């Protein structure tokens, strides 16, 4: 905050400061001029500003640098953060003194404010939960056995192929709203439960339509290469051709996706097919990311020439590849919700990855088969208890490194002047309580582009 020697006349800073009626609708299409937003008396503000100031994903010991300011304040104007500092300094700011009456104030005493979570891996385009799979799994069947017996990803296809786009968009929007209620403001959303050209494009259009009605930011990903649908079983190459020659060109031409993802795994797509799909994506100007090493190990080096934004799951990864990843900006996105829901004893080796200097992010992997949660605090809690990440590391992995994983770190993922005013306000005194109180949603407000998105 710009300090000013003049002192503000003693103005009311304590509650009731927030009048929801005064907060303008957060809809993107809303042409009304947004009122400035001032978050005052913040117990702990986690700015996530980098101590080293390096414009890089956070690695090693930098991952736990939260840039905490106590008794802090944040001023947001026209959807952007304009100043960050102590409340004391903020109240001396000449602009604020002059315009105080026009500003919407939120009293954040005894609260933690942090950047809105960036959930960089979700699959929200599905219709039904997979409850039969859930029961079979409880009875002892593995994810692979369930898929081989006709459950799994393939069992979600019928619903999505038949569904009207509007119905899919409603489902996605409901999920996005629920995510915002848990503090998430930026979401990567994948298609991948249609697996025909038509239904994959419909899924991406549904993501676009839902995104228009949600104030947060949605980054869409074509996951036409999720599994080989049964019509192409035994001739997967034909399906890969459709992904490369029809889905990718259409998604790129119609600007329906920013990324192309591949499930590179036994029973899904081989490393050679993944490279083929990545090549097509690059030819059409799309960036790539992949599900890697979820069930078995695949050598990563051949993929790094495509500069993937992130490689996700990574339960199985070898030492040489870890050393190589430490030299790249490709983020390793860990999704412990999937390990938890599948009842696995093993989790990805986050400690080894972080300590080796690999940039690590956390995401929910929200999907009906392996991770039916959209709560980033839950993913963070699992990261702490099962992957030995510290609460501070879990927070940085869910904010700034999530932003790196989506290549939006220039305007998302930390609270600093010039960045988007996307903030989560938690009703806790200490940030460590966010992963500590697992299963609880302690997010009391979510601000997106300087407007209140939750409660709506
Ligand atoms: O990230 N592994 C591939 N995709 C999802 C699961 C999808 C599903 O089972 O529906 C995942 O775990
Ligand atoms: Fe996934």
């Amino acid at each position: 905050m710009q300090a000013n020697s003049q002192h503000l006349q003693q103005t009311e800073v304590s509650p009731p400061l927030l009048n929801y009626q005064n907060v303008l609708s957060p809809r993107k299409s809303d042409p009304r001029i947004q009122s400035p937003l001032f978050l005052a008396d913040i117990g702990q503000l986690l700015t996530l500003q980098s101590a080293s100031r390096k414009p890089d994903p956070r690695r090693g010991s930098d991952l736990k640098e939260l840039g905490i300011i106590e008794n802090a304040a944040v001023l947001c104007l026209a959807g952007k953060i304009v100043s960050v500092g102590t409340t004391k300094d903020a109240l001396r700011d000449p602009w604020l003194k002059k315009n105080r009456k026009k500003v919407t104030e939120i009293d954040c005493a005894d609260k933690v404010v942090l950047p809105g979570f960036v959930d960089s891996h979700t699959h929200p385009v599905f219709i039904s939960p997979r409850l039969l799979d859930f029961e079979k799994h409880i009875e002892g069947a593995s994810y692979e056995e369930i898929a081989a017996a006709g459950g799994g990803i393939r069992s979600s296809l019928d619903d999505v192929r038949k569904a009207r786009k509007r119905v899919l968009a409603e489902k996605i929007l409901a999920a996005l709203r629920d995510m915002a209620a848990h503090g998430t403001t930026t979401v990567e959303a994948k298609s991948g439960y249609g697996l025909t050209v038509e239904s994959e494009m419909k899924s991406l259009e549904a993501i676009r339509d839902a995104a228009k009605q949600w104030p947060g930011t949605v980054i869409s990903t074509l996951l036409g290469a999720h599994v080989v649908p049964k019509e192409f079983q035994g001739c997967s190459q034909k399906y890969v051709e459709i992904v490369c020659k029809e889905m990718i060109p259409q998604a790129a031409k119609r600007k329906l996706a920013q990324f192309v993802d591949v499930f590179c795994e036994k029973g899904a797509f081989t490393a050679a097919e993944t490279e083929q799909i990545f090549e097509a994506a690059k030819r059409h100007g799309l960036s790539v990311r992949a599900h890697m090493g979820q069930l078995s190990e695949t050598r990563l080096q051949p993929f790094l020439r495509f500069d993937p934004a992130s490689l996700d799951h990574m339960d199985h990864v070898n030492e040489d590849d870890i050393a190589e990843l430490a030299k790249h900006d490709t983020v390793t996105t860990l999704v412990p919700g999937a390990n938890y829901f599948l009842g696995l004893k093993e989790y990805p080796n986050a400690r080894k990855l972080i300590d080796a200097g690999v940039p690590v992010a956390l995401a929910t992997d929200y999907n009906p088969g392996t991770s039916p949660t959209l709560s980033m605090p839950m993913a963070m809690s699992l990261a702490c208890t099962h992957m030995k990440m510290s609460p501070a590391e879990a927070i940085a992995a869910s904010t700034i490194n999530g932003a790196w994983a989506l290549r939006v770190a220039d305007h998302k993922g930390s609270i600093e002047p010039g960045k988007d005013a996307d903030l989560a306000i938690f009703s806790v005194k200490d940030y460590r309580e966010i992963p500590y109180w697992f299963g609880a949603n302690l997010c009391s407000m979510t601000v997106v582009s300087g407007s209140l998105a939750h409660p709506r």
Side-chain angles (χ1 to χ4, degrees), residues 121 123 190 291 313 365 367:
H121 181 144
H123 305 248
K190 304 175 198 292
H291 287 67
H313 284 275
D365 193 13
N367 79 74

Side-chain angles (χ1 to χ4, degrees), residues 121 123 130 133 143 152-154 156 190 193 223 226 263 265 291 294-295 313 335 338 342 365 367-371:
H121 181 144
H123 305 248
R130 295 217 294 266
D133 289 8
Y143 184 62
I153 297 168
R154 288 187 190 92
S156 289
K190 304 175 198 292
Y193 292 113
L223 179 55
H226 202 179
F263 182 20
E265 189 58 71
H291 287 67
Q294 181 178 10
L295 309 168
H313 284 275
V335 291
L342 295 179
D365 193 13
N367 79 74
T370 65
S371 191

Side-chain angles (χ1 to χ4, degrees), residues 294-311:
Q294 181 178 10
L295 309 168
S296 60
E297 189 184 303
T298 305
R299 290 306 314 274
L300 303 179
Q301 251 143 344
F303 303 115
L304 294 177
R305 71 186 167 99
F306 297 100
D307 188 26
S310 90
L311 297 175

Side-chain angles (χ1 to χ4, degrees), residues 162-332:
K162 283 187 204 133
R164 302 177 91 104
K165 185 170 65 189
R166 184 179 51 75
V167 174
L168 287 175
E170 278 164 9
K171 289 268 180 192
I172 300 163
L173 182 58
L176 293 172
R177 286 182 173 150
D178 212 355
M179 288 174 185
H182 287 78
T184 299
T185 53
T186 298
V187 175
E188 183 258 12
K190 304 175 198 292
S191 66
Y193 292 113
L195 308 188
T196 61
V197 177
E198 192 201 351
S199 60
E200 285 298 298
M201 295 310 117
K202 177 177 70 178
S203 298
L204 292 174
E205 286 167 8
I207 293 172
R208 177 200 59 198
D209 294 352
K212 279 189 194 149
Q213 297 175 68
W214 190 61
T217 300
V218 179
I219 312 278
S220 48
T221 295
L222 169 68
L223 179 55
H226 202 179
V227 281
V228 178
K230 56 175 187 313
E231 335 54 288
F232 289 92
Q233 247 164 9
C235 51
S236 64
Q237 195 43 228
K238 277 201 183 136
Y239 184 69
V240 172
E241 294 279 305
I242 291 175
V243 173
C244 295
K245 297 201 171 134
E246 297 185 51
M247 291 184 191
I248 291 174
Q250 285 194 32
K253 187 161 177 235
R254 299 182 54 207
K255 297 196 184 335
L256 285 171
Q258 279 116 300
F259 288 99
V260 170
D261 192 343
V262 181
F263 182 20
C264 179
E265 189 58 71
K266 287 191 188 114
F269 296 89
T270 64
E273 288 167 336
T274 303
E275 284 195 60
Q276 196 185 334
I277 294 165
F278 278 6
E279 259 152 24
K282 290 282 163 176
R283 264 201 309 281
H284 290 275
L286 298 178
S287 302
V288 298
R289 53 200 317 111
H291 287 67
M292 276 291 163
Q294 181 178 10
L295 309 168
S296 60
E297 189 184 303
T298 305
R299 290 306 314 274
L300 303 179
Q301 251 143 344
F303 303 115
L304 294 177
R305 71 186 167 99
F306 297 100
D307 188 26
S310 90
L311 297 175
D312 302 18
H313 284 275
M314 302 281 268
D315 296 66
H316 305 274
V317 50
N318 71 42
E319 304 276 341
D320 290 350
D321 283 339
I322 290 180
E324 201 54 38
L325 282 170
K327 297 182 208 148
H328 287 76
D329 279 355
T330 295
V331 173
T332 289

Side-chain angles (χ1 to χ4, degrees), residues 361-419:
L362 285 172
T364 60
D365 193 13
Y366 172 64
N367 79 74
T370 65
S371 191
T373 180
L374 34 68
S375 163
M376 285 296 287
M378 184 67 201
M380 288 158 58
S381 188
L382 292 171
C384 295
T385 56
H386 288 66
M387 302 197 304
K388 309 295 174 222
M389 287 173 68
S390 69
E393 289 172 331
I395 284 174
S398 303
T399 53
I400 187 66
N401 273 8
W404 277 101
L406 296 181
R407 303 241 159 108
V408 292
D410 58 335
H411 57 292
K412 304 280 185 196
S414 62
I415 301 177
E416 37 196 328
K419 283 206 174 184

